[in-house]
Every structure is written in C-alpha cells, then in structure tokens.
Amino acid sequence: MSVQDTLLRAAAITKRYPGTTALDAVDFTLRRGSVHVLIGENGAGKSTLVRILAGVELPTSGHLEMDGHELRLASTRDADSHGIGIIYQELSLFPNLTVVENIFLGRELTRGRLLVDRSAQERLARELLQRLEQDIDIHAAVGTLPLGRQQIVEICRALARDVRVLLMDEPTSALSPGEIHVLFRVIRELKAAGVGIVYISHKLEELMEIGDEVTVLRDGRRVAAAELAAVDVNWIIENMTGRRWEPPPQQEVSGGAPALLRVAGLSVPGRVHDASFHVAAGEVVGIYGLMGAGRTELLEALAGVRPASAGEIRLDGQRLDRQPVWERIARGVALSPEDRQSAGLVPTFSLGENMTLASLARHSRRGCLSAAAERGSTLDLISKLHIKSTGPRQPITALSGGNQQKAVIAKCLLTSPRVLLMDEPSRGVDVGARSEIFEIARRLAAGGMAILFSSSDLHEVLTLADRVLVMAGGRITASFARRQFTEQALVAAASAKPGGLHDRT
Amino acid sequence: MARNFCLTLFACVLFTTACQQGSGGKKSIAVITPSHDNPFFKSEADAASARAAALGYSVTVNTHDDDAHKQDQLFDVAIAEGASAIILDNAGADASVAAVAKARAAGIPAFLIDREINANGVAAAQIVSNNYQGAVLGAQEFARLMGEKGAYAELLGRESDTNAQVRTRGYHEVLDKYPSLKLAAQQSANWSQTEAFQKMETMLQANPALKGVIAGNDTMALGAAAALKAAGRRDVIVVGFDGSPDVLAAIRAGDIRATVLQPAARIAVLAVDQAHRYLTTGSSGAPEKQSIDCELVTPQNVDQFGVFARK
Amino acid sequence: MTERDHALNAAPAARRIPVAELFFRLRALLALLVLVAVFSALSPAFLSSGNLVILIKHVAINAILAVGMTFVILTGGIDLSVGSVAGLAGIVAGGLISVGLPLPVFGVAVYFQVWLVVLIAVLAGTAVGALNGVLITRFSVAPFIATLGTMYVARGAALLISNGATFPNLFGRPDLGNTGFPWLGAGRILMVPVPIWLMVILGAAGAFVAARTPFGRRIYAIGGNERAAQLSGVRVNRVKLAAYMISGCCASVVGLVLASQLVAAHPATGETFELNAIAAVVLGGTSLMGGRGSVGGSIAGAFVIGVLADGLVLLGVSQFWQIVIKGVVIVVAVLLDQMQKRFSWRETSA
Ligand SMILES: Nc1ncnc2c1ncn2[C@@H]1O[C@H](COP(=O)(O)OP(=O)(O)OP(=O)(O)O)[C@@H](O)[C@H]1O
Ligand SMILES: [Mg+2]
C-alpha cells in the first residue's frame, strides 16, 4: 500500500489499566476508502483501541498520526473536529430523548446560532433512516424502541456528520441479516467516498464479506495482519486463539425426552400471538427470526417480565403463567436478557456481585451472605466461562463487552435453572466463547436442563440448536428438527407473511 | 350523562345551603390565625370564637399557617361567604396589607390581633400586646432574681422575626445597665423546644458558671429548663415569655422562675367586642392602634392566671 | 457531555491510587478530624468528656434518622416524612402516657406500661413508613411526592391527636404503672446515655444488614439498576417497602428520644429534620441516585454536621453564620463526590 493512501496511523500504542495491560505496543494503519477489520477474543483490546482513536481515552504511551501529521486527541470533541466518528459497543443513547434529539445531541443544527432548526433536523433524520431503509418514528423516545432499532439510531448518529474515519464497534450485534445487508450497502457507499472504516465484530462471515484488511489482537498485542482476500476463517480463529481450530463436536440429539416446558396459546398484546410449543429436558431449542419478530417478547413473557394476555405456561406440568419473576426463578426458569446494560447488569456492582445477584439465598449461611460461598462459585464460573478479569472484585464496567455478557449468563447459571432462557446470548461474545457457553450449558444440562435461546445469527442457530422454532410477525411460523433444517427453509419461514398463514393478526 | 347531571345537581344543592348558612339570619365573623399547633394561637382563636358565638354570631375559624398566599385565599372565601367582620392574626406585616385592603373594599372590616401590619387606615383596628414593655418587665424580674450579677445566657427566637428582635431589645435595655450581669452566650433556638434543649446543653458545657437563662419565648424556656434539669442544674434561673399554660405549670413546679404573659385571649375578646360595636353602631369606639400591656407571672401570682389571660 | 458520560460508563477504574482513593472514601471522617482539631484548639471545653458525651448525644438524633434514610436513598428513593414521623411518634407516646387510650364506648381510658407505649409509638412510625412504601411501589407515586404527602399527613395526625397542644410532664403515674419514660432520653447504661446506645445499636445493625445480608445486597442492586434487579428475582416492591419501614422505624425512635429528653411531646417536633438526615447521608458519600454508599458513612456525616453545629454554638457564632457554614460544608462534600468521579476517570485514561 502506498503512503498517500494512509489516512490514520497508530504507532506503538500501549494502554495500561491497574492490573491489566489492555494494549501492548500496538501498530495499526487505516487506509482511505477501505474497511479495516479488528478481531480478537473478548477482552483482547479492540474496544480500547477504537476508544483511543476516538479520543475517549488517552493512551499510556504511543502516538497517532492523521494524513501524516501528528494527531493529539484530548477529547471526543477533538476527534470530532478531525472527522472521526464512532459507534460505541455499548449504546450511548439517552432513553428519555427522542430519535431526532439523540441523533443530533451535542451538535444540533441551528438557525442563527441559538435556535435549534427542528425542521432541518427532522428532514435529515428521515433521510438517514431512509438510507438505512428503516421505518422508525423519529419522535419516539429511544428507550421505547427494541434494542436493534436503538442500534440503528446509534448508527444514524454517527452518519449524521460528514466523517473521514468511522469507527464501528460491533455495530451489528443486535441487528438481523436484513438490516446488516443494508448497513453493508451504506458502508460500501462510504468507502467509495473515501471514508476509512474500522470495523469490529465477532460474526466471522460478516467480516469476510465487508472487510478489506484484518488485524488480529490477542491479549492486547497485535499478532497478525493481512489482506482479507488472502486468508480464511480458520486462519483468523487460529490467530485469535493461538490454537488450531476444531469445530465443536456435533451434539447427539436427545430424542424422546418428556417435555419440561410446555407453552400453549401464549399471547402478548401486539407482540406475540398464540404461541404454542414445548421444550424437552436436555434439549437446546433455538428461536430464529428477524428484528421485530417477537422473540424477545416471547422470552420475556416466559420469564414473567412481560405480562401475557392469554395462554398457559407449564413447567413439569405446573402452571407458571401467574407467577412473578422471582417465583419463576425459584422454580427454575432464568432469563439472560437481550440488553445487558439496561436489564442484565448492575453497573455499581463488581463482577462477583453481579454474578450472585440472582442466587443470594444460595450464597447465604443463616441469613448472612457468605463471602466464601460467593467467592467459590464466582471463581469457578469465571474460569469455566473464561471471563477475562482481574477477579470477582473487579467492577463490572471495567470488563470488556463480551465478558460482561458472560457475566450475565453466569448469573443465570448460578440459579441452577431447569429451563435456561437466553435472548441473543452471544451478543458480543467471541466465536470460541460462544461454543464454550453452549457446551457448559449442555454439560449442566446433563441433569435434564432445557435451553431456549433466540438468535438472529442463522449460522449460530444452525450449529447450536437441536431444534429451531422460527418466528415472524409475532407468530411461530415453523418448527424444524435438526435433520430438517436448511438455511433456505429457515429464511423462508422467517420472512413468511403471517397474514398468509393465519387470517388475522 | 345522568351521573354528571346528578353531580351537578348535588353541587348546586350544596352551594345553596352553604350560601344560606352564610347569609341567612345570623351575621357571621371569620377568625383567621396561624396554625393551632402553637397553643397561643389556638387560645386566641378559641377565645375569639367563643366570644363571637356568645354575642350571637356564627363563626368560621381557619388557619393560614403563616402563608400569605393561603391567607389571601381565606379572605376570598370570607368575602364570598359574606362575612360581616374578620378577626385576623396576620401572616406577615407587608404581605397581609393587600388582603386586608381587599376586604375593606368589599365592605368587611378586619380587626387585627397580636401582630401589626405595615399600613395605617386599612384595618379597622390593630390590637397587639406590648412586646417591648413585656420584655422590659421580664428582664427586670430576671435581673432581680440574678441578684443583679453573674453570667447568663440568652436564647433568641428566629432571628428574622420582628417579635424576636423587639424582645431581645427590651431585655438588653434593662440587663445591659447592670455591669456585673455578663452575657456569656447568646444563641438562636428558632422558637423550638428541641433546639433549645440541645443548645442549652452545649452552652452549659462552654459556660459551667451560668447562673441564669432568659429565653425569647416559653417553648425555648421549657427546652432549656428540661436540659438544666437533666444536667442536675436546678439552681439556674430560667425566665420565659408568653405565659403559656405549660410554663405556668413549670412555674408552679419551680422549674421556671418567671414569664411574661401576653394577654392573647383578652386581646381576641377585645377585638370581637370592638367588631360587635362597629357592626351595631358603625364605630369601634377605639383608636386603630391599640397596645395592650403584658403581665409578669411569678410563683407568687401564678394562680391568678389561666390560658393566656387573667382568670 | 455525552461523550464524557459515555467514557465514565465505559471505564471507571478497577483500582485507583490507594491514597487518593482513601482520601475520597473517608472524606467525612477526614472532615470530622479537621473539625475536631479546629474546635478543640479554639475552645478548651470542646474536648472535655462532659461535652463529648453531650455532643455525641446530639449527633445520635440525626445519626439514627440517617441510618434509616440511608436504606431509602440507596434504593434511589428519598424520605421526606422522617421529621413528621418523629413528631407523630412522640405525640402518640405522649398521649398514651398522659391521657391514655380513651375508649368512649366504655367511658374509660386505658393506660399502658411504658414498654408497650414505646412499642405502639414505634409501630405507628413504621406504619407511616409502610404507607410510603405502598404509595411508592403499588401506586407508583414518585418517592419525593409520596413522602412529601405523608410528611403533611403525619404532622396533621400529630396535631389532631394532641389538639395542637403539648403533652407535658411525661413522668407517668405510679398508680397507673406507666412511669419510666424519661429513661429513654436521659437514662444511662454504664455511664453512657441511652440515646448513644441506641445510635450504636441501630448503626451497627444497619451497617451489618446493608453490607452482609442478602437484603442489603438487594437494596444496593435496586439502586444500581432496578430493572436488572427485578429480572434477577429481587422482589423490588417488597425490598423498597422494607426500606421505607426501616426509615419510619428509625424516625419514630428519634421521636421517642426527643419526647423523653424534654419529658414533653410537642406536635411540631422534628420539623426540617429530614433535611439534616439527607445532608448527613450525602456527606457520608451515599449517592442520591442510589446504589452507592454506606451506613457507616452516613453516621460519619451526621457527626460532621453535629460537631459543626455544637462547635459553633460553643464558640458563640451567630445563627446566620452557622447556617451559611453548614450549607458550605454540604456543597463542598457533594463537590468532592463529583471530583471523585472525574478523578477516577482521569486516573484510568491518563
Ligand atoms: N476501565 C478499565 N479498567 C480496567 N480494565 C479495563 C478497563 N476497560 C477495559 N479494561 C480491560 O482491558 C481489556 C480490553 O478490553 P476491551 O474492552 O478493549 O476488549 P474488547 O476486545 O473490546 O473485548 P469484547 O470483544 O468483549 O468487546 C479487558 O481485559 C478489560 O477488562
Ligand atoms: Mg469491545
């Protein structure tokens, strides 16, 4: 590559946190009009690197260059003025503000310097959403939107500004294939306009499709870099993990076990219509569907977080539908929610405190919390799930995104659930850890635990589930046993117009 | 629809009965005072309403809780109900002028008791106890009890309150004349018994040689007396101001040595009498500003006093 | 602002420089040490054992309120009714001792033994706390509004019970068997006044419950992220209800102590006490957003306020200055809290 092509360069960047070296002398070069993919296991330092490029944090040592000139970024305002935009891994939106307000927050379009030019903002916001082919009410409060749509708003926020460098930290973790497709179109347009893009994701197929170059980070060090065209998925995984990659062993389908969870005619007003299915002990069932299909609402209704208007939920024959959340947890139904920030984690707690929150009774002796018991089970799961941290006492907010996700799942596992509900469990989790989570879940399932998880990642569903339920428009439109499912069948069922199958919605 | 109609009808009936009560037969007097959680105001209101009832008026009693805005609303109600006269212990010397003027414009005379307003010729009468004279009286007795010498402490009322200022001025007018009387500590206890208790305890620590305490009102005197009793210092002389029934009891018990009685009940009765005269003859027969002297209560004469009045 | 906030969320430090951390964590204690040093230098009476005992006795009032208030604020709520509840509890006790419980049907009044009187008064205060909790959890009234309402209700109830008057001379009568009430405020155990014991016992119990029991952990979880807590099986409504009941209970203990000290119950007792308690809690490092803080900190905060108040009286400083100085101390404490956040952010990124 030629020097003139270089847009942004980071040289020997080191970032130390007390107890961790997040980045260790990392070099990184971004070319004009190209997509540079960053990949690495959870906690490898990807987010830290882009946060430094965006002026959110200062490196401990090392320096940045833009267009061949030294670049000093003391704040995100500096980065902004150099045309560097960022899409954060954890959404940085204000739930109480509307979509337009969020898109333009901090850089409102003004008339005469004082008045906010509302109509111009609204026009631009509509244009942006149109470009992303999204039909979102721009006056809706962001907090009322489902997570995927919030992510779209976050993306609009970055696009509202003319940028030369766009840093995208897992922008698609809550999007389904349709939206991702559109996003990729937009990325290609930006590329054509000469924008340099840094792209982080754990979805390997996605990276192969959109990326031009790849840099692999492992434990804060740059271990490899290449043109993507020259490498394959196995190369990436081997460099990420430092081990040869072996595909996870295909699980035996446990047939014939009795149904543990039975759901009949479950409805959530406007979201889920008349869902009936069952999950057998020891079975792993995936729910596949597009954004807005009602997967999250279904799982929330099962966990008791969202009231159902009709239907029956039975665990081992016992009615669950009238029980509050805590009672369902006590009976053995635990949910790992989709949005870990707003529903999964207590940000003021340490890693360990978060992990034991749902199983405090189990970690108490004679009415008092037992530090020893807490330590025992948290250390155990930290090592089993490879949660990269300095220990249970590390504040949860100091963990990388994927490791926070693992902490939420660990919390559910500590309740010893009989039915484990996981909404997009691998959001932000790296490939290796993804199969580990399911493996551990399966091992715990040896005692007869059933798993019901949702995913918008087709690949994940195909490799991990024994059986797949497909949802569309709030209805379960199909159910496939392992031997039956193919990509085409699933996609067809997911985009089925429910109106065709049923007379009314 | 039908329900709404019924409600409206019901409201109309209520309203007409209310109006009849107000305007029919009897003339009415509205009594408006600060909150009755202070027995002083309660006895004031009780005395006024008893007297008015005895004179054949129907009476409404309300409290403005020292909120000028609420007082204004109470005036509106009184005007709407067609009260013949208003007896008022007002919610602020300046803030109350407008309300009193409004009543006057509506043809309703207001008779002010206990506190003055900063305007002349608006109220039909302003009858107050003479705080300054009372303070001088109390201070003279205090000096006598102290033997005209020794260290003493003073508990002030809320420092932004006019009465607190007038009283402390009266005290010092007398006490500062005695060179051997030393003011060892001076603290505000905001008219509050609890606060007086705590401040007294602390002042006693700083000045173990205290011989006496003079308080700006009776609640503070009671707080100080309780603290002194708890500290086993019954030798310390306590003098209060107001003449509340609790302090009269404390004087009988020997915990407090003297207080100055504000004739609140007497003033209230006086105001009602003048209102009655005004309503029947067109003149109250007294000047607008009247100041009624306070009386000293000591163990010797305590049995002659009742609730804010001589028996 | 947005970006910075994001940075705050994304990267609070795992560990800070210990000295700086200690300084911020223990700011209430440090402030306390400074105050004690200043006052003992300025007034010889300050460090006398007699004065210290009285000082701690005064602190106890606010500290006991602050213990209950801490639980409420940790959940992200606020309790404005504590002052009124203290007044109500005092009046209930005062009424039961001096006029008994009138039973108009039988034309008699029942008098209770003092321990029963105390129990009934505490139950009354706890009931107001429960009312707060129910309004806030079942009817989703904002804590500020709900407790503002009960603040007036409780005060009004106290006035109604006593008809606005004070219940004086609460010594009880030997023939009725209800003597002994003054012991609560003026009694001593092992030379130490009872109110101080109450503070020590309630403070220790509160600190233990908050730090070492599942209930305490749940309180913190609700303040940290209520939704996540609920999804983790925390019975949010119940826990909040309990927090407000604890606050009501502590407030009624304070009311009893005050009435007992004065041997009289006045319905206006406790006005503006809620503000002192909130100030103590905030000074002690508890975040008004909930989720962070400690009972021990609140007690330290109560000591700062109490030492300041008594010290200034001891020095004979005027009321106006006392108010100004107290305000300044509170603002500085909260500023330090903000600085701590910013500081920790710099530490990680510098
Ligand atoms: N504020 C902090 N204090 C201490 N350690 C931190 C802090 N922020 C990040 N770290 C640590 O730095 C390392 C790198 O974190 P980073 O967020 O960059 O990982 P990542 O590659 O983005 O992972 P993921 O794929 O899970 O998002 C992790 O081990 C993390 O625990
Ligand atoms: Mg990350």
Side-chain angles (χ1 to χ4, degrees), chain C residues 140-285:
Chain C
S140 310
V141 184
F144 189 93
I145 306 297
T147 58
L148 187 68
T150 49
M151 173 177 114
Y152 288 114
V153 172
R155 183 68 70 205
L159 288 166
L160 280 173
I161 292 173
S162 73
N163 201 7
T166 303
F167 289 119
N169 298 323
L170 302 179
F171 294 103
R173 296 213 322 252
D175 54 318
L176 295 172
N178 62 354
T179 52
F181 184 61
W183 178 80
L184 212 50
R188 284 171 183 252
I189 302 173
L190 302 175
M191 313 280 291
V192 176
V194 175
I196 297 183
W197 283 111
L198 287 172
M199 169 179 74
V200 170
I201 292 167
L202 290 173
F208 179 81
V209 167
R212 298 292 308 280
T213 65
F215 171 75
R217 185 67 66 76
R218 291 182 181 124
I219 291 266
Y220 280 93
I222 290 174
N225 184 348
E226 184 168 333
R227 193 169 140 72
Q230 203 206 346
L231 252 79
S232 303
V234 173
R235 290 146 96 171
V236 173
N237 285 355
R238 262 187 158 207
V239 174
K240 280 190 180 173
L241 179 70
Y244 286 93
M245 286 170 71
I246 291 173
S247 180
C249 176
C250 288
S252 44
V253 170
V254 164
L256 288 170
V257 168
L258 289 175
S260 166
Q261 277 178 350
L262 295 171
V263 205
H266 184 52
T269 298
E271 268 168 12
T272 73
F273 275 25
E274 58 278 353
L275 298 181
N276 281 331
I278 294 169
V281 172
V282 172
L283 264 174

Side-chain angles (χ1 to χ4, degrees), chain A residues 42-43 45-48 51 89 169-170 200 202 400-402:
Chain A
N42 293 131
K46 306 177 296 291
S47 298
T48 307
R51 281 208 299 267
Q89 178 173 17
D169 196 350
E170 303 198 28
I200 301 177
H202 290 293
S400 82

